[in-house]
Amino acid sequence: MMLFVYIPTQEVRYSKFARLTLFLCVMLPSSVVIWMGGDHDLLACAMGFLWPLALPFSLANFPVVGALCCSALVQASVFFLMVRSRKLTPRGKATFAITWGMFFALLLRLILAYQAWLVAWQA
């Protein structure tokens, strides 16, 4: 008796990459950085990916809530353009979202390390 196993092509595999999955690829790396940094607040973890863009706004005497809203607006615009792009393949969209999320997690880690260094230096 022969068993036939269906092995989908890459195009078929990546065609079902949902928008929620792409959003989680952007959001989760920063959430993990916040969680591992010691802040176990769910809201702080969920909003962690907004800080790398919001920090320059808040340093320029922008209100923190306004800076977070500007960051959310910019990232929502880029996400919308990425999802609606016809030039990017589903695999390209996944790669872009994962790279974006990991880059922002790196920036967030550098921000947290700098803040920890400032606290240690002032003590």
Side-chain angles (χ1 to χ4, degrees), residues 51-62 67 111:
W51 279 108
L53 285 182
L55 188 65
F57 287 123
S58 66
L59 291 177
N61 292 333
F62 218 79
I111 290 168

Side-chain angles (χ1 to χ4, degrees), residues 40-116:
H40 297 301
D41 181 23
L42 189 60
L43 185 61
C45 290
M47 291 178 29
F49 74 105
L50 296 175
W51 279 108
L53 285 182
L55 188 65
F57 287 123
S58 66
L59 291 177
N61 292 333
F62 218 79
V64 174
V65 174
L68 287 172
C69 288
C70 287
S71 174
L73 181 68
V74 168
Q75 292 199 43
S77 301
V78 172
F79 185 79
F80 178 76
L81 291 173
M82 177 194 65
V83 168
R84 301 289 294 169
S85 173
R86 302 241 184 246
K87 290 185 177 184
L88 283 174
T89 63
R91 183 179 181 183
K93 290 176 186 177
T95 303
F96 183 78
I98 291 168
T99 305
W100 176 11
M102 293 303 283
F103 178 68
F104 273 43
L106 172 68
L107 290 178
L108 188 61
R109 181 65 187 116
L110 292 174
I111 290 168
L112 292 175
Y114 179 70
Q115 286 178 344

Side-chain angles (χ1 to χ4, degrees), residues 6-22 25 82-83 85 88-99:
Y6 172 68
I7 300 174
T9 63
Q10 276 191 339
E11 192 65 32
V12 171
R13 255 186 281 145
Y14 286 104
S15 68
K16 299 182 185 198
F17 228 78
R19 289 184 186 123
L20 179 63
T21 306
L22 290 174
C25 288
M82 177 194 65
V83 168
S85 173
L88 283 174
T89 63
R91 183 179 181 183
K93 290 176 186 177
T95 303
F96 183 78
I98 291 168
T99 305

Side-chain angles (χ1 to χ4, degrees), residues 1-9 13:
M1 181 171 137
M2 285 184 91
L3 290 175
F4 292 100
V5 178
Y6 172 68
I7 300 174
T9 63
R13 255 186 281 145

